[in-house]
Amino acid sequence: QVQLVESGGGTVRPGGSLRLRCVASGSVFRIYDVGWHRQAPGQERELVAHITPGRNKWYPESLKGRFIISTDDAKNTVFLEMNNLQPEDTAVYYCNAIVRSTADEPDPPNDYWGQGTQVTVSS
């Protein structure tokens, strides 16, 4: 089985920065697409960053230039660097990954989610 664990959240002042980390553990044979999502109270969960196996990256237009997704493939880790944070960025942030656990696992690979890490931006 595969587990995803996020860390790095916390409380910051407006204009501050945080780097979130998501580590995949357990039986990990290959990781495909990875995304970061966030959900504020009373709001729908939204995709804030996506990276493909070819390392193409996508961000919603409103977050381009502020959020950066990156990986450390050797450590099965994905990061989300968040800069110039604003109160509107307050949410629980989740990582999501498509993972094949073993070489002989039948298609499709499974979609895994972490438990989330809280980010609060407050003056």
Side-chain angles (χ1 to χ4, degrees):
Q1 298 298 311
V2 174
Q3 299 83 41
L4 302 181
V5 179
E6 304 98 335
S7 61
T11 301
V12 297
R13 303 285 190 180
S17 298
L18 286 173
R19 189 179 74 159
L20 306 183
R21 180 198 309 258
C22 176
V23 180
S25 62
S27 182
V28 179
F29 177 74
R30 184 178 178 183
I31 300 175
Y32 299 90
D33 294 75
V34 180
W36 283 96
H37 305 248
R38 69 184 181 187
Q39 188 165 21
Q43 304 295 315
E44 294 184 345
R45 188 170 297 187
E46 64 173 334
L47 179 67
V48 300
H50 175 225
I51 185 166
T52 72
R55 296 298 176 255
N56 294 313
K57 300 175 182 180
W58 178 92
Y59 311 90
E61 190 67 28
S62 62
L63 295 178
K64 287 182 178 179
R66 290 206 298 123
F67 284 19
I68 303 170
I69 188 170
S70 62
T71 64
D72 184 339
D73 295 334
K75 297 181 179 179
N76 290 332
T77 300
V78 60
F79 303 94
L80 182 67
E81 180 183 336
M82 305 182 293
N83 300 304
N84 192 24
L85 286 163
Q86 301 300 313
E88 305 87 79
D89 298 315
T90 296
V92 178
Y93 285 72
Y94 301 88
C95 66
N96 164 237
I98 308 299
V99 180
R100 188 177 299 280
S101 296
T102 64
D104 60 352
E105 183 182 52
D107 285 331
N110 288 324
D111 187 1
Y112 294 91
W113 290 83
Q115 295 300 306
T117 184
Q118 177 71 48
V119 172
T120 302
V121 185
S122 179
S123 60

